[in-house]
Amino acid sequence: MKRPETHEGIASLRKFLRENPKYVVYDYSSVSKYEECHAKYNYVYNHWLRDSESVAALFSSMLIHHPLANWYLYGGRRPWVPPEWQSGWDLFQAAVSSLPTTRRDALYTLTVAQRLVISYTELFRRDFETYKVLSTERVYWSVFPGAENALWVTKPDLLLERADKERITFDFKTSLYDFNAHLVDFDRQFLGQAYGTGAKHVCKAFMRIPTAYNEMLINREILPIDEELLNEWFVEMGQTIMEIQRARETGVWVKQAPAGCTAYNRMCVFIDLCKLGKTREGMIDIAEKRHPFTYLGLGGSEQESPNEES
């Protein structure tokens, strides 16, 4: 497998999509959604219906990723100051206010976020002697060969460069549990980041949320990319993308029931929609819409629909 020609930045991606409207965006999240449930992919990526979010995911994204990206962007010289922490916390509270919560969600506090970020920066403050920061939370994209009109897009938390000029992607993960603390060589998210950025190495920075039963844990692992595993990822991803294209051509989106209905131990927000017959389309038309690639910076006039190939 030959590494693709990589493009950087949301502006260039928007321009390409405006000039090539038949192209469809694929990323780790959208492919994972299809494998979770074909019907759910159809609702989210073809009809732009809003999927559920979790308190844990929003906590990690808004109160861990952003301040750490800021810290790297300014060379370790500018951590978040109290007004920024308060603003970030207020935005997080607004984002989760309408979500169903559990008792464990009370563990995601401003104090915990500050402890994790400060502890991480103290542990790895010498990173700036080892790496050059190339980008933080930047979009990288390329045409995916072998699948018609397909773009592969990735947005790693960090892209750094070693002294030997080889690139390394960083991704921050938080959890109440440590069963996923370690980096696996064939982790598809990290292989997808390496493919999209040209990185030769990947890093997983895992942080365990402290609880009454577990202390805070920060574990960081770096692995070189195994080119054979990356080639297998490429073949597997191409096969899945072509399956999605076939589903779009036929209009058949399989309901992965019952497993897809309770993925991640949460009831799917589309379960009532799946019960409907012909009236489903009418309900879809009046439902709240949100562009599925808003996190990339898409959602403007670059496409009338994110995954319309005709």
Side-chain angles (χ1 to χ4, degrees), residues 26 74 76 87 97-98 127 144 160 174 192 221 233 250 258 270:
Y26 299 92
Y74 290 97
S87 176
S97 60
S98 61
D127 274 359
F144 195 94
L160 308 183
T174 60
E221 297 180 0
W233 171 91
T250 62
F270 304 120

Side-chain angles (χ1 to χ4, degrees), residues 138-211:
R138 186 169 178 80
V139 170
Y140 293 83
W141 62 277
S142 58
V143 173
F144 195 94
E148 186 177 2
N149 298 333
L151 294 180
W152 181 257
V153 181
T154 187
K155 187 182 178 183
D157 292 334
L158 299 173
L159 183 64
L160 308 183
E161 185 178 78
R162 307 192 321 177
D164 59 6
K165 303 299 182 181
E166 290 191 349
R167 292 180 167 188
I168 174 171
T169 66
F170 273 58
D171 218 69
F172 302 112
K173 303 292 184 184
T174 60
S175 177
L176 292 171
Y177 314 101
D178 57 7
F179 60 82
N180 59 345
H182 300 287
L183 177 57
V184 180
D185 304 64
F186 50 91
D187 186 306
R188 296 193 308 165
Q189 181 179 12
F190 288 88
L191 288 174
Q193 290 179 357
Y195 176 83
T197 62
K200 296 289 187 179
H201 311 266
V202 290
C203 174
K204 180 177 184 177
F206 173 85
M207 304 175 208
R208 184 175 64 195
I209 306 292
T211 68

Side-chain angles (χ1 to χ4, degrees), residues 168-287:
I168 174 171
T169 66
F170 273 58
D171 218 69
F172 302 112
K173 303 292 184 184
T174 60
S175 177
L176 292 171
Y177 314 101
D178 57 7
F179 60 82
N180 59 345
H182 300 287
L183 177 57
V184 180
D185 304 64
F186 50 91
D187 186 306
R188 296 193 308 165
Q189 181 179 12
F190 288 88
L191 288 174
Q193 290 179 357
Y195 176 83
T197 62
K200 296 289 187 179
H201 311 266
V202 290
C203 174
K204 180 177 184 177
F206 173 85
M207 304 175 208
R208 184 175 64 195
I209 306 292
T211 68
Y213 305 100
N214 291 309
E215 296 180 352
M216 179 178 64
L217 169 70
I218 297 178
N219 180 64
R220 199 169 84 169
E221 297 180 0
I222 299 173
L223 290 175
I225 290 296
D226 184 314
E227 291 297 326
E228 288 190 10
L229 292 177
L230 184 61
N231 186 65
E232 289 180 355
W233 171 91
F234 175 77
V235 173
E236 293 163 2
M237 196 58 59
Q239 177 173 298
T240 305
I241 288 173
M242 286 188 283
E243 288 178 10
I244 297 173
Q245 292 175 335
R246 176 60 177 165
R248 189 171 295 112
E249 291 170 1
T250 62
V252 177
W253 301 93
V254 178
K255 304 178 190 69
Q256 303 285 8
C261 303
T262 54
Y264 307 109
N265 295 319
R266 297 198 308 267
M267 186 62 69
C268 176
V269 296
F270 304 120
I271 193 162
D272 290 332
L273 201 58
C274 282
K275 297 176 182 178
L276 302 177
K278 294 181 179 180
T279 58
R280 184 182 300 120
E281 294 304 317
M283 297 300 295
I284 288 174
D285 288 341
I286 63 175

Side-chain angles (χ1 to χ4, degrees), residues 58-64 66-67 80-96 108-110 113-114:
L58 289 170
F59 177 86
S60 182
S61 173
M62 302 176 74
L63 293 171
I64 302 298
H66 290 344
W80 267 15
V81 293
E84 289 173 306
W85 276 112
Q86 188 59 53
S87 176
W89 177 251
D90 291 344
L91 289 171
F92 169 71
Q93 288 292 296
V96 303
Y108 297 102
T109 66
L110 176 59
Q114 292 172 323

